Amino acid sequence: MSGFHDTIAAETTPHGHGGISVLRISGRNAIEIAQKIVRTRKSIQDSPSHTVHYGHIHDGQRQIDQVLVSIFRAPNSYTGEDVVEISCHGNPFIVSQILAIILRYARQAEPGEFTQRAFLNDRIDLTGAEAVNDLIHAQTRQAQAVALEQLEGSLHHRIEALLSRITQIRMQMEIEIDLSDQNLADTDWSAMRTECEALVTELGELIRTGQEGRILREGLKIALVGPPNVGKSSIFNAFLETERAIVTPHPGTTRDYLEEAVAIEGYLLRLYDTAGIRETPDEIEQIGIDRSGKMIQQADRVLFITELDTTEDEMERLETLTGRKNVLRVINKSDLLSDQQAEAFEKDDYIVCSATKPGGLHTLKNRLLEDIRVSQIELHSGILTNARQIAAASRAETSLRQALDAIGNGVGPEFVAFDLKEASQALEEIIGRISSEDLLNRIFSDFCVGK
């Protein structure tokens, strides 16, 4: 990021035509700049915080637009600095003129710079800053709920509680170190071991929420896999309730994987209709099969779709490709099965469904969602939502396990204290108490300009 003390400005609403557009100015000169460029009856510089003023913007003698000017004085603003928000008519031509006038006195804000300043000025912690971006990009009710909970501080409070408990143990270690040469320390090592074990368990539970959080943000990636012509594209279309994939009775119709997203019960599913896995002399089809193989490796769930005449060899070949990981076996065309046949497949842990019958995918949808449904209790308690948070929590868990080993081996309080410090630092990275400029730049560069 450029100079932190510069006054910055950008359009905060999406570019395009609309009822209004909003431009934001933040920094120590924000109110002074507004005074220069907006003509109002009452002085903007003398106005109290959280007031709105009607005025006109001129460029020389030429009027640009009628505007509303909102004043927010530091530290009670989004960024913690003096902030001015100018609401004008939602015309990109007008917005560009107003922004050009503002930029005579300020510089263009970089992506995420307003939110980065909010973080640096202690208006928001790092999990809250990430939640702002998650909320902007949320595509389902559940993703929205997770982002709002994190913005309200659910994850922050959970991390702070863990840090407080680790700090208590560290304090006992410091006392042990300071008084060890005087034989005055009275450390209850058994109780300390029990508390460390409890912390490891709780961190493990927190880390397990990371997979759920990532899926809620990015969607559950589902690869539809199987021999040609078993109904993969029909199931794909049935999920979407549209004819996105071409369905014919001819093997090899799908030459490359198709990707679509659909929301079910507030959860985002990303479906990948892959090319039928088979040996083929067709060079183009083989390229599609190779690409499908790569997508299968990246999927969270693999639907191995078969039908009655699918051979065991085909099943083994496909399961070898998927590595048997997160594979759900699906028998399509249940309308062609007798009740006895359907029951036999269900006993063998197949999901029996039909892409053509109304409600024929109900059981399949439930099986896909059962592992990613998040309860309200989990949401309120705070969950991890991205790879950065998961990695930091995993490092903290590793350090706590090392502290447990040190306690068990009786190697000395200095080693235990070191491991506990490492665990604390890892958790502090999650909420941004410890952060590098490079880390912050990576996080906030994913934001849009104006946020």
Side-chain angles (χ1 to χ4, degrees):
M1 293 283 178
S2 301
F4 176 60
H5 297 293
D6 297 343
T7 300
I8 57 175
E11 181 183 3
T12 64
T13 46
H15 192 68
H17 293 273
I20 63 168
S21 291
V22 179
L23 299 100
R24 177 182 289 155
I25 312 170
S26 180
R28 55 191 174 189
N29 298 324
I31 297 175
E32 178 185 341
I33 292 170
Q35 179 70 54
K36 288 180 180 179
I37 68 173
V38 184
R39 298 181 185 179
T40 57
R41 290 184 179 180
K42 184 179 180 181
S43 169
I44 291 175
Q45 280 189 300
D46 296 334
S47 298
S49 182
H50 293 72
T51 55
V52 181
H53 308 270
Y54 171 78
H56 299 79
I57 291 184
H58 288 74
D59 190 4
Q61 297 302 311
R62 183 172 66 91
Q63 181 172 315
I64 304 299
D65 198 13
Q66 301 171 337
V67 298
L68 290 176
V69 182
S70 302
I71 306 298
F72 306 92
R73 294 186 179 274
N76 299 312
S77 70
Y78 179 71
T79 64
E81 304 172 326
D82 285 344
V83 170
V84 173
E85 292 184 350
I86 299 175
S87 301
C88 65
H89 289 93
N91 182 337
F93 178 64
I94 294 174
V95 171
S96 64
Q97 293 177 75
I98 296 175
L99 183 59
I101 295 171
I102 295 172
L103 293 181
R104 293 171 188 170
Y105 310 100
R107 69 166 173 82
Q108 174 75 48
E110 297 179 24
E113 191 167 6
F114 291 116
T115 303
Q116 182 172 12
R117 290 191 175 196
F119 165 70
L120 294 172
N121 287 323
D122 296 324
R123 295 292 293 170
I124 195 171
D125 82 304
L126 201 52
T127 64
E130 290 173 316
V132 169
N133 204 31
D134 291 345
L135 191 57
I136 290 171
H137 293 98
Q139 301 179 63
T140 64
R141 294 193 310 273
Q142 292 298 332
Q144 175 191 18
V146 170
L148 284 171
E149 285 289 345
Q150 189 160 308
L151 190 58
E152 292 291 331
S154 61
L155 179 58
H156 176 88
H157 297 322
R158 187 169 183 175
I159 297 298
E160 286 284 13
L162 290 168
L163 281 169
S164 177
R165 291 168 62 185
I166 294 173
T167 298
Q168 290 297 318
I169 305 175
R170 290 179 63 186
M171 290 171 61
Q172 293 180 50
M173 284 298 92
E174 294 300 329
I175 294 173
E176 176 75 21
I177 293 169
D178 290 343
L179 301 180
S180 59
D181 59 339
Q182 304 176 41
N183 296 319
L184 296 176
D186 186 23
T187 302
D188 187 342
W189 289 98
S190 178
M192 187 174 298
R193 184 186 301 107
T194 300
E195 176 67 352
C196 283
E197 289 172 346
L199 284 166
V200 167
T201 298
E202 291 186 33
L203 267 174
E205 292 172 353
L206 178 61
I207 293 165
R208 280 190 290 277
T209 70
Q211 177 71 353
E212 295 173 345
R214 182 192 63 78
I215 288 173
L216 287 173
R217 288 176 65 248
E218 302 173 7
L220 182 71
K221 297 178 182 177
I222 304 167
L224 281 62
V225 182
N229 209 33
V230 293
K232 297 187 300 299
S233 295
S234 296
I235 291 178
F236 182 83
N237 289 338
F239 265 104
L240 303 177
E241 299 181 355
T242 184
E243 293 187 5
R244 172 67 173 84
I246 300 171
V247 180
T248 77
H250 306 295
T253 301
T254 303
R255 296 300 185 96
D256 197 355
Y257 70 80
L258 301 176
E259 176 184 353
E260 289 288 352
V262 61
I264 298 177
E265 295 184 19
Y267 295 89
L268 183 65
L269 307 184
R270 295 193 178 277
L271 304 172
Y272 300 89
D273 181 18
T274 66
I277 306 299
R278 64 171 183 164
E279 299 294 334
T280 176
D282 188 317
E283 184 177 350
I284 296 177
E285 184 182 355
Q286 186 59 51
I287 292 173
I289 292 171
D290 293 340
R291 289 180 178 177
S292 295
K294 293 178 181 178
M295 175 47 60
I296 290 166
Q297 299 300 323
Q298 299 171 13
D300 299 306
R301 301 286 186 277
V302 175
L303 300 188
F304 179 21
I305 301 168
T306 65
E307 56 184 7
L308 283 175
D309 58 354
T310 301
T311 68
E312 201 62 36
D313 287 344
E314 288 173 324
M315 292 184 180
E316 290 178 1
R317 183 166 67 251
L318 290 170
E319 288 192 335
T320 299
L321 177 63
T322 62
R324 299 176 182 268
K325 183 181 180 182
N326 296 322
V327 177
L328 298 179
R329 289 189 173 195
V330 179
I331 286 287
N332 189 25
K333 306 179 184 178
S334 64
D335 46 308
L336 303 179
L337 302 178
S338 67
D339 291 344
Q340 292 80 5
Q341 287 174 316
E343 289 178 7
F345 278 116
E346 288 172 352
K347 286 181 180 178
D348 288 337
D349 202 28
Y350 279 86
I351 301 170
V352 179
C353 71
S354 172
T356 58
K357 292 171 59 177
L361 299 184
H362 179 73
T363 301
L364 177 56
K365 290 176 180 178
N366 275 336
R367 279 288 296 273
L368 288 171
L369 294 176
E370 66 184 11
D371 292 335
I372 60 171
R373 286 191 176 99
V374 178
S375 69
Q376 289 300 310
I377 294 175
E378 286 180 297
L379 286 180
H380 290 316
S381 64
I383 65 175
L384 304 178
T385 59
N386 58 50
R388 179 192 75 83
Q389 296 170 0
I390 296 169
S394 297
R395 291 200 307 275
E397 182 190 36
T398 298
S399 295
L400 277 171
R401 289 188 182 279
Q402 291 172 347
L404 265 174
D405 290 341
I407 293 172
N409 295 328
V411 296
E414 297 87 353
F415 293 94
V416 178
F418 176 81
D419 291 326
L420 292 172
K421 180 181 179 181
E422 292 282 301
S424 292
Q425 289 177 341
L427 291 177
E428 287 171 347
E429 283 183 22
I430 295 177
I431 58 178
R433 193 175 297 169
I434 296 177
S435 56
S436 65
E437 183 177 353
D438 180 59
L439 171 64
L440 295 180
N441 287 342
R442 288 201 309 272
I443 291 173
F444 291 105
S445 64
D446 288 336
F447 282 52
C448 57
V449 173
K451 194 56 185 173

